[in-house]
PDB file of all heavy atoms in Angstrom:
ATOM      1  N   LYS R 685      30.395  15.109   8.816  1.00 98.00           N
ATOM      2  CA  LYS R 685      29.770  14.141   7.821  1.00 98.00           C
ATOM      3  C   LYS R 685      30.849  13.155   7.318  1.00 98.00           C
ATOM      4  O   LYS R 685      31.986  13.628   7.258  1.00 98.00           O
ATOM      5  CB  LYS R 685      29.063  14.838   6.656  1.00 98.00           C
ATOM      6  CG  LYS R 685      27.946  15.696   6.998  1.00 98.00           C
ATOM      7  CD  LYS R 685      27.432  16.333   5.648  1.00 98.00           C
ATOM      8  CE  LYS R 685      26.455  17.378   5.883  1.00 98.00           C
ATOM      9  NZ  LYS R 685      25.971  18.036   4.603  1.00 98.00           N
ATOM     10  N   GLY R 686      30.400  11.977   6.850  1.00 97.00           N
ATOM     11  CA  GLY R 686      31.449  11.147   6.295  1.00 97.00           C
ATOM     12  C   GLY R 686      31.604  11.642   4.752  1.00 97.00           C
ATOM     13  O   GLY R 686      30.785  11.956   4.110  1.00 97.00           O
ATOM     14  N   ILE R 687      32.889  11.423   4.347  1.00 97.00           N
ATOM     15  CA  ILE R 687      33.183  11.876   2.960  1.00 97.00           C
ATOM     16  C   ILE R 687      34.039  10.882   2.149  1.00 97.00           C
ATOM     17  O   ILE R 687      34.536  11.248   1.079  1.00 97.00           O
ATOM     18  CB  ILE R 687      33.830  13.306   2.918  1.00 97.00           C
ATOM     19  CG1 ILE R 687      35.107  13.283   3.877  1.00 97.00           C
ATOM     20  CG2 ILE R 687      32.865  14.303   3.439  1.00 97.00           C
ATOM     21  CD1 ILE R 687      36.426  12.955   3.262  1.00 97.00           C
ATOM     22  N   GLY R 688      34.199   9.602   2.684  1.00 97.00           N
ATOM     23  CA  GLY R 688      34.997   8.668   1.983  1.00 97.00           C
ATOM     24  C   GLY R 688      34.607   8.425   0.529  1.00 97.00           C
ATOM     25  O   GLY R 688      35.441   8.350  -0.363  1.00 97.00           O
ATOM     26  N   GLU R 689      33.271   8.170   0.332  1.00 97.00           N
ATOM     27  CA  GLU R 689      32.863   7.943  -0.949  1.00 97.00           C
ATOM     28  C   GLU R 689      32.516   9.259  -1.781  1.00 97.00           C
ATOM     29  O   GLU R 689      32.865   9.282  -3.039  1.00 97.00           O
ATOM     30  CB  GLU R 689      31.564   7.122  -0.873  1.00 97.00           C
ATOM     31  CG  GLU R 689      31.940   5.739  -0.346  1.00 97.00           C
ATOM     32  CD  GLU R 689      30.692   4.946  -0.171  1.00 97.00           C
ATOM     33  OE1 GLU R 689      30.017   5.106   0.960  1.00 97.00           O
ATOM     34  OE2 GLU R 689      30.351   4.006  -0.987  1.00 97.00           O
ATOM     35  N   PRO R 690      31.921  10.152  -1.267  1.00 98.00           N
ATOM     36  CA  PRO R 690      31.517  11.383  -2.086  1.00 98.00           C
ATOM     37  C   PRO R 690      32.772  12.024  -2.854  1.00 98.00           C
ATOM     38  O   PRO R 690      32.475  12.603  -3.938  1.00 98.00           O
ATOM     39  CB  PRO R 690      30.945  12.448  -1.073  1.00 98.00           C
ATOM     40  CG  PRO R 690      30.374  11.517   0.010  1.00 98.00           C
ATOM     41  CD  PRO R 690      31.308  10.354   0.188  1.00 98.00           C
ATOM     42  N   VAL R 691      33.940  11.938  -2.330  1.00 98.00           N
ATOM     43  CA  VAL R 691      35.009  12.627  -2.925  1.00 98.00           C
ATOM     44  C   VAL R 691      35.403  11.989  -4.244  1.00 98.00           C
ATOM     45  O   VAL R 691      36.321  12.503  -4.985  1.00 98.00           O
ATOM     46  CB  VAL R 691      36.284  12.616  -2.044  1.00 98.00           C
ATOM     47  CG1 VAL R 691      36.050  13.502  -0.747  1.00 98.00           C
ATOM     48  CG2 VAL R 691      36.689  11.224  -1.533  1.00 98.00           C
ATOM     49  N   MET R 692      34.799  10.894  -4.739  1.00 98.00           N
ATOM     50  CA  MET R 692      35.045  10.292  -5.907  1.00 98.00           C
ATOM     51  C   MET R 692      33.912  10.648  -7.044  1.00 98.00           C
ATOM     52  O   MET R 692      34.104  10.634  -8.172  1.00 98.00           O
ATOM     53  CB  MET R 692      35.250   8.711  -5.889  1.00 98.00           C
ATOM     54  CG  MET R 692      35.424   8.075  -7.238  1.00 98.00           C
ATOM     55  SD  MET R 692      35.489   6.292  -7.227  1.00 98.00           S
ATOM     56  CE  MET R 692      35.573   5.945  -8.948  1.00 98.00           C
ATOM     57  N   VAL R 693      32.709  10.838  -6.467  1.00 98.00           N
ATOM     58  CA  VAL R 693      31.515  10.855  -7.267  1.00 98.00           C
ATOM     59  C   VAL R 693      31.538  11.928  -8.350  1.00 98.00           C
ATOM     60  O   VAL R 693      31.040  11.646  -9.517  1.00 98.00           O
ATOM     61  CB  VAL R 693      30.328  11.026  -6.366  1.00 98.00           C
ATOM     62  CG1 VAL R 693      28.950  11.154  -7.158  1.00 98.00           C
ATOM     63  CG2 VAL R 693      30.132   9.808  -5.476  1.00 98.00           C
ATOM     64  N   TYR R 694      32.084  13.053  -8.195  1.00 98.00           N
ATOM     65  CA  TYR R 694      32.001  14.047  -9.096  1.00 98.00           C
ATOM     66  C   TYR R 694      33.119  14.135 -10.080  1.00 98.00           C
ATOM     67  O   TYR R 694      33.202  15.001 -11.053  1.00 98.00           O
ATOM     68  CB  TYR R 694      31.837  15.544  -8.469  1.00 98.00           C
ATOM     69  CG  TYR R 694      32.581  15.691  -7.244  1.00 98.00           C
ATOM     70  CD1 TYR R 694      34.004  15.223  -7.120  1.00 98.00           C
ATOM     71  CD2 TYR R 694      32.164  16.299  -6.037  1.00 98.00           C
ATOM     72  CE1 TYR R 694      34.768  15.376  -5.893  1.00 98.00           C
ATOM     73  CE2 TYR R 694      32.935  16.322  -4.894  1.00 98.00           C
ATOM     74  CZ  TYR R 694      34.210  15.880  -4.829  1.00 98.00           C
ATOM     75  OH  TYR R 694      34.876  16.028  -3.609  1.00 98.00           O
ATOM     76  N   VAL R 695      34.020  13.312  -9.858  1.00 98.00           N
ATOM     77  CA  VAL R 695      35.244  13.478 -10.728  1.00 98.00           C
ATOM     78  C   VAL R 695      35.085  13.016 -12.152  1.00 98.00           C
ATOM     79  O   VAL R 695      35.381  13.815 -13.164  1.00 98.00           O
ATOM     80  CB  VAL R 695      36.512  12.533 -10.171  1.00 98.00           C
ATOM     81  CG1 VAL R 695      37.645  12.500 -10.992  1.00 98.00           C
ATOM     82  CG2 VAL R 695      36.756  12.954  -8.688  1.00 98.00           C
ATOM     83  N   ALA R 696      34.501  11.898 -12.442  1.00 98.00           N
ATOM     84  CA  ALA R 696      34.240  11.456 -13.812  1.00 98.00           C
ATOM     85  C   ALA R 696      33.251  12.366 -14.627  1.00 98.00           C
ATOM     86  O   ALA R 696      33.822  12.806 -15.732  1.00 98.00           O
ATOM     87  CB  ALA R 696      33.552  10.014 -13.772  1.00 98.00           C
TER      88      ALA R 696
END
Side-chain angles (χ1 to χ4, degrees):
K685 302 177 185 178
I687 53 91
E689 291 170 281
V691 293
M692 179 184 175
V693 172
Y694 36 46
V695 178

